[in-house]
Amino acid sequence: MPSTPRPDPGQLAPGADPFHEPRRDDCPWCGSRRLRTRERAPEGARRTPGTYAAVDECRDCSHAFQNPRLTLEGLLLRHRRHPVEDHIHANPAGRLRRRHHRTAARAMLPYAEPESWLDVGTGLGHFPEAAREVHPYTAFDGLDPTERVERAWAAGRIEEAHQGLLTDPAIAARLRARYDVVSMFHHLEHTTDPREELRAARTVLRPDGHLLVEVPDPARPFGVLPHGRWWPWKTHDRPRPLHLMPPRNLLAELEAQGYQVIATRASAPFPPRAHRIVARRTALPPAPSAS
């Protein structure tokens, strides 16, 4: 399915950066201005399209984020610059990742068998392909900002392909209340606004549907920001996550948005360590009455 057309933003002002927003002096999570810089890209490389300038951390809530933040154009460029491995069966790491996919899919076995499942950030659809072995009667769809989702559909790994962003109002409206499960594996940390992603997931979930999330744990070994020449990414390109969210922040946000957190556990096939969270979509808490 083709992506939803985006309006033309028009010409940029002289000197404007199409790939980065202006640098902010407050935390995007809690609004605190007590920031410290955890990592900074080298001079000369920090304005390479799709890369980052610095990573700041909030001293109050411990949320870490790239600053300045990527624009949508910068985010899409990053997706194109980092292709996903096409064949995950060809090497031991790929086979380990496939086993991890099946284990993640089993996290939904204690609950009602899902009829429909949307995998957000699906790439080439390797997770739905593995999850179908665990849930053979579930219809798996995929959403991804790149054309890889169309390749996943052509390979038979998903039943419907949606190219674009979950936060696009047109896509969210088209998929409203269609899914029993929405999965996001190492997706939230690569988005410009994780809160908006969680709100959009509520929109496409059916009542009492489940959200399955996996995010890196910044407090565990290899979950902190990388340092040293041994790290496999180029110096100006690391780290790829736009946000590193402490688990307590994410759990509190899920509950504030009307999710009931029903399971959490640490899990990852190899570093970085990660947290897997299962949450159920419930009714939104009542708005406080004006007194």
Side-chain angles (χ1 to χ4, degrees):
M1 186 174 294
S3 58
T4 303
R6 296 177 50 244
D8 183 359
Q11 290 190 344
L12 293 168
D17 183 349
F19 302 107
H20 297 87
E21 297 178 355
R23 181 176 175 82
R24 61 186 303 158
D25 57 5
D26 61 341
C27 172
W29 197 264
C30 72
S32 170
R33 292 180 177 271
R34 300 183 64 243
L35 305 180
R36 69 181 184 93
T37 299
R38 287 184 59 172
E39 179 144 328
R40 189 179 300 278
E43 296 289 346
R46 64 179 56 178
R47 287 298 181 179
T48 303
T51 59
Y52 78 106
V55 175
D56 290 343
E57 182 181 67
C58 176
R59 295 180 184 271
D60 289 329
C61 75
S62 300
H63 183 88
F65 63 100
Q66 291 192 26
N67 196 13
R69 186 171 68 174
L70 288 174
T71 61
L72 180 58
E73 286 75 13
L75 182 64
L76 294 176
L77 177 63
R78 169 169 291 190
H79 282 295
R80 291 193 294 269
R81 290 178 61 206
H82 301 294
V84 179
E85 185 181 4
D86 196 3
H87 300 288
I88 66 170
H89 313 282
N91 55 62
R95 290 191 292 272
L96 182 62
R97 188 174 298 278
R98 184 175 177 83
R99 288 199 298 270
H100 177 67
H101 288 335
R102 291 195 295 265
T103 300
R106 292 189 188 101
M108 299 310 303
L109 286 177
Y111 315 108
E113 182 177 19
E115 295 181 2
S116 56
W117 187 316
L118 178 67
D119 187 40
V120 180
T122 196
L124 292 170
H126 292 306
F127 170 75
E129 181 184 39
R132 189 173 287 113
E133 300 176 21
V134 182
H135 302 277
Y137 303 110
T138 298
F140 286 91
D141 296 345
L143 182 144
D144 198 82
T146 72
E147 68 281 356
R148 296 172 198 139
V149 69
E150 299 292 344
R151 293 167 58 189
W153 174 81
R157 295 171 184 145
I158 55 177
E159 297 197 17
E160 288 189 17
H162 304 282
Q163 184 176 348
L165 300 173
L166 188 61
T167 52
D168 185 324
I171 290 180
R174 187 169 70 238
L175 303 181
R176 180 180 296 274
R178 279 188 56 178
Y179 296 101
D180 298 306
V181 178
V182 171
S183 55
M184 297 178 173
F185 294 103
H186 291 272
H187 169 75
L188 281 178
E189 67 270 23
H190 298 290
T191 63
T192 56
D193 191 337
R195 280 190 169 107
E196 287 300 316
E197 294 286 328
L198 297 176
R199 292 189 187 99
R202 269 190 63 89
T203 299
V204 303
L205 277 171
R206 293 171 177 166
D208 294 322
H210 290 85
L211 178 66
L212 178 59
V213 175
E214 194 170 279
V215 291
D217 182 355
R220 292 299 188 103
F222 296 95
V224 297
L225 300 179
H227 293 279
R229 292 179 297 176
W230 55 268
W231 198 260
W233 301 333
K234 294 179 181 179
T235 304
H236 66 270
D237 188 43
R238 71 176 197 259
R240 291 183 190 175
L242 305 184
H243 297 273
L244 285 172
M245 296 162 285
R248 66 179 183 275
N249 292 2
L250 182 55
L251 295 176
E253 180 63 24
L254 285 167
E255 292 180 355
Q257 289 202 22
Y259 292 95
Q260 178 190 5
V261 177
I262 54 180
T264 61
R265 62 163 297 172
S267 115
F270 33 70
R273 294 291 301 273
H275 281 282
R276 184 182 303 140
I277 301 168
V278 179
R280 181 168 47 237
R281 181 189 187 275
T282 61
L284 284 170
S289 59
S291 55

